[in-house]
Amino acid sequence: MSFLSLVYRVVICSSMLLITAYAFTSTKCGEVSRFQLASSPKEIDVSDLGLTMEDLDAPLPNEFDVTTTGYQSTSRLPDVQDDACFWNESANKMQATLAIPGLRGQPAMSLSVLTSKNTISVSAFGRVVWSCILRGEVKPETATFNVEDGSDMIPVIEYEVEKNEEGERWSGFILQIGEDSIL
């Protein structure tokens, strides 16, 4: 079954659900519509579509240029959710904006970003102060970064890199904060 035919079937199914919900709300008190007898307003029978949970979990085809975004914490402490990493993922590259609270007061010109195939490290005055393991592998030679002074004296790092495998989806940027992070 092609992806477009799957989308078409889901749209049809959604339309049927809306019709059922309308029929449920448009009857007079005490009356029961034939739509109500066929199904409950909270569920709809889609067994004729032939969909399985595996179909819904399957990756999207590469023909679709889907960009996903999200926030992650840059802290090693599990109970601290600073959302200081905003990531943007496309089929072939990752972009991240890092505003790490532990870098407060560091001049933007003193910061540098080092990239390997599955890690990035941020250094201040030549010393690594924060690092992370990425959710996938990248091409380090394609990495670019720009650091600017941000609000509240927290420098903002704009980072971009190409993925090693085009089409691979990470659904996030940071897998784990590095052990050497002193922040």
Side-chain angles (χ1 to χ4, degrees), residues 120-140:
I120 67 167
S121 300
V122 176
S123 65
F125 295 106
R127 181 175 178 173
V128 174
V129 293
W130 184 88
S131 67
C132 75
I133 300 172
L134 302 174
R135 289 188 178 234
E137 291 190 0
V138 298
K139 299 176 184 173

Side-chain angles (χ1 to χ4, degrees), residues 69-74 82-89 94-101 103 113 120 122 130 144-148 150 154-161 173-174:
T69 61
Y71 287 91
Q72 287 182 281
S73 177
T74 59
D82 58 18
D83 290 340
C85 173
F86 172 74
W87 55 268
N88 189 341
E89 177 183 21
M94 287 295 295
Q95 297 171 316
T97 302
L98 300 167
I100 304 167
L103 294 176
V113 178
I120 67 167
V122 176
W130 184 88
T144 60
F145 73 94
N146 183 40
V147 184
E148 295 183 2
I154 299 174
V156 177
I157 302 168
E158 298 285 340
Y159 178 79
E160 183 175 315
V161 68
F173 185 70
I174 299 170

Side-chain angles (χ1 to χ4, degrees), residues 3-175:
F3 181 76
L4 291 178
S5 106
L6 177 66
V7 169
Y8 178 74
R9 288 180 178 201
V10 169
V11 168
I12 295 294
C13 180
S14 300
S15 299
M16 290 171 47
L17 180 61
L18 289 174
I19 290 169
T20 303
Y22 177 75
F24 177 73
T25 58
S26 64
T27 58
K28 294 179 184 174
C29 184
E31 293 180 6
V32 177
S33 75
R34 62 187 172 99
F35 291 111
Q36 287 175 320
L37 295 175
S39 66
S40 164
K42 294 183 181 179
E43 59 185 52
I44 188 165
D45 183 17
V46 294
S47 61
D48 61 326
L49 297 178
L51 294 175
T52 64
M53 289 306 291
E54 290 80 27
D55 293 332
L56 299 176
D57 291 333
L60 293 174
N62 288 339
E63 296 90 40
F64 295 104
D65 187 23
V66 177
T67 302
T68 55
T69 61
Y71 287 91
Q72 287 182 281
S73 177
T74 59
S75 175
R76 287 187 63 214
L77 303 175
D79 57 336
V80 175
Q81 293 300 316
D82 58 18
D83 290 340
C85 173
F86 172 74
W87 55 268
N88 189 341
E89 177 183 21
S90 67
N92 62 346
K93 69 179 171 181
M94 287 295 295
Q95 297 171 316
T97 302
L98 300 167
I100 304 167
L103 294 176
R104 185 182 313 276
Q106 298 296 324
M109 296 298 289
S110 72
L111 299 178
S112 179
V113 178
L114 309 167
T115 305
S116 74
K117 68 179 184 175
N118 64 352
T119 64
I120 67 167
S121 300
V122 176
S123 65
F125 295 106
R127 181 175 178 173
V128 174
V129 293
W130 184 88
S131 67
C132 75
I133 300 172
L134 302 174
R135 289 188 178 234
E137 291 190 0
V138 298
K139 299 176 184 173
E141 64 277 4
T142 65
T144 60
F145 73 94
N146 183 40
V147 184
E148 295 183 2
D149 292 319
S151 63
D152 295 331
M153 296 178 54
I154 299 174
V156 177
I157 302 168
E158 298 285 340
Y159 178 79
E160 183 175 315
V161 68
E162 289 182 16
K163 295 178 183 177
N164 199 28
E165 289 187 35
E166 187 172 330
E168 178 185 21
R169 289 297 176 161
W170 297 4
S171 300
F173 185 70
I174 299 170
L175 178 65

